[in-house]
Structures are given as structure tokens and as C-alpha cells.
Amino acid sequence: MVTIDLTTPPPPPASFIDAMARRVALTLPELRLVAELAGGAPLPFDLSSGADGTVDAGSLSGRLGKSRGSVEDSAYTDALRTLHDPEDTLRRRGLVTDAGADPGVVGAVGLLATPRLALDIDVAAGATQVKAWHRQAGGAVASLSTCDGIVFELAWFPVDLWTTELARVTAPPEDLPIGTTHVPAHLDVPYALADSVGEALRSGRADLVPVLVARSAGGVVLADGREISGAEAADAVSAVHTESRGRMRILAAEVSERATTSVGVVSWVLLRDGWHSLTPRHDDDGARIAVSRVDPDDLATELAPVLAQVTAPEDTP
């Protein structure tokens, strides 16, 4: 069994090709055809088809974590119908021949269906939303990602490159400028306070925030252990909600035949100065949440203990 250590830099590649992940863009019909050629391998999301073989937009959009209206459903279905025959386009690109589909593509789709570890990643930043599925088994990882449910990026790479690929997931869009924030680099807040402040702001009752902070059973604490209160605490907790420009959530699970599967979660929020992790914990005062400034390269470090948590003890070297 391969030990997955996302916190240690990978060894130097033996060649230029070894240092790169292989990627291919596939439309949804092409992806479905490749899955059929891979022995009917199931995709990470369910696709319901009508009698004419068209994809039900509602089922796919639900799997992508995005709800479409009837007009958007119609536009989505129309866009799929305008695509060329998938076998013809795959043959023109050399991904399908008389001998079958490209072995690398087939292997990647097969790995998506038979992993040991699975990551479901949902990222929203500004007007962009991306859904990605990372699947790992042995020394290989395959990933599938899309932002519209029509065109997908299929990639496969050695497990040593997983850290680099994870950093790509959290890269903010270029049209989303990075500025300054009113949220400290580290903020430890009672969960009940963070939740109630968010509800007050969503309801247009910002005037209640100072009252909620004053009545909180637990304090608002900075990285150096200093507790803040009053207007300083109210501004800091409020900014976590008002500055939010995006979020990321990763569900991690071990795929096994065990009756019970453990699931771990990593959550980040995108504020004015970049990403901040959201880490829940418990102490004597009850549930709390830590909001800490992170960089995209920190995702692997944050994810490593979650993967260790969901991995079955008997499989851990």
C-alpha cells in the first residue's frame, strides 16, 4: 500500500514528461463514450437520460452543486445537442482508433470508477463555480473537473504530483483582485456567535451584531491569545461574512467494502485578501471555529490529516 504524504515535496522528476500531468478536454458526450469504451465505467456523477438519449439537465446540475432554472435547463440541453458526434471528434483527435480508445484516457476513467481515496471538490469564486473529482489508488491519481457541465478536463498523474494539482484547484480567478481585509490572520470564534452574526447580517439587522458579541458565552481570540471585544470583535466577525467572495468545500472518503465509511471535510472561504480556512473544534466553552489565512499551496497540508482520518487503520502503513 502506498503511503500518501501530501506535506513532503515530491522527488525530482526523472524527465520533463514525468513532471507533467496528462490532460485532455472532453465534452460530456465524449466523456460518456469513453466511459462506455472503458467497460461501462461509472462516472463520479449520475446522468439521467431521456428516451432520445439526451441528458436530463436537472440531474446533472444537481450533481454539480448548482440549481438551474427552466430557461437555463433548455439552453443547456440545446448546447449539448449542437455538439458533434463524439466518436467522430474523438477519432479526429486520435483518442479513439479501430483498436479502441487511448489507453491513458481509458485508464484514467477506470481509476475514477475504482479508487481507494475519493475527493469531491466544490469551489465557487466570484461568478465562477468549479466541480472537481479526484480519485487515487496505488501510485496514481485521476481527476475530472468542469465549470459548466458541458466541457470537462480529464487528467491523470503520479501521486507525487497530487500536491501541485490540488494547488491548481484553489487558484483565484485572474479577474478577482486581491486586496486587504478586516479579518485578522487568525480568528478563533464561538460557533454560535459566528452563526448568529451571519444570520443577522443576512436579515439586514447589522445593528444586532454588537449585542450578539456582548452576549456571547465565549470570547473572540486572536493568534497571540489576546481576546478582543466590543467594536473590534464585531467588525472582525462581521467581515468574515460581508467580505466573502467565494468558498471551497472538499469531501474526502475512503472507498472500501466496509459497511461504515468515514468522511472528512475541508472548508475554506475566499475573503478580500485571499483564502481563509474554517476549522471547527470543541473546548470547555463548546463548539468554536478557527478562521485562518492560508495560501493555495497550503491545501495539501490541510488535507493530509483529513485523509489520515478517513483511511482505515488496517490499511495505514
Side-chain angles (χ1 to χ4, degrees), residues 1-42:
M1 182 61 66
V2 174
T3 300
I4 303 172
D5 183 0
L6 296 178
T7 64
T8 301
S15 68
F16 176 73
I17 298 299
D18 292 338
M20 300 177 62
R22 290 193 60 187
R23 310 183 196 281
V24 60
L26 299 172
T27 63
L28 178 58
E30 290 175 336
L31 180 61
R32 298 177 75 190
L33 177 58
V34 169
E36 292 176 9
L37 296 176

Side-chain angles (χ1 to χ4, degrees), residues 6 10 19 21 37-38 42 68 70 95 112 132 144 155 181 194 211 223-224 237 241 268 274 279 289 316:
L6 296 178
L37 296 176
R68 291 187 174 96
S70 58
L95 296 176
L112 288 173
L144 186 68
T181 179
V211 178
D224 58 4
V237 179
H241 299 280
W268 286 10
T279 307
I289 186 165
T316 304

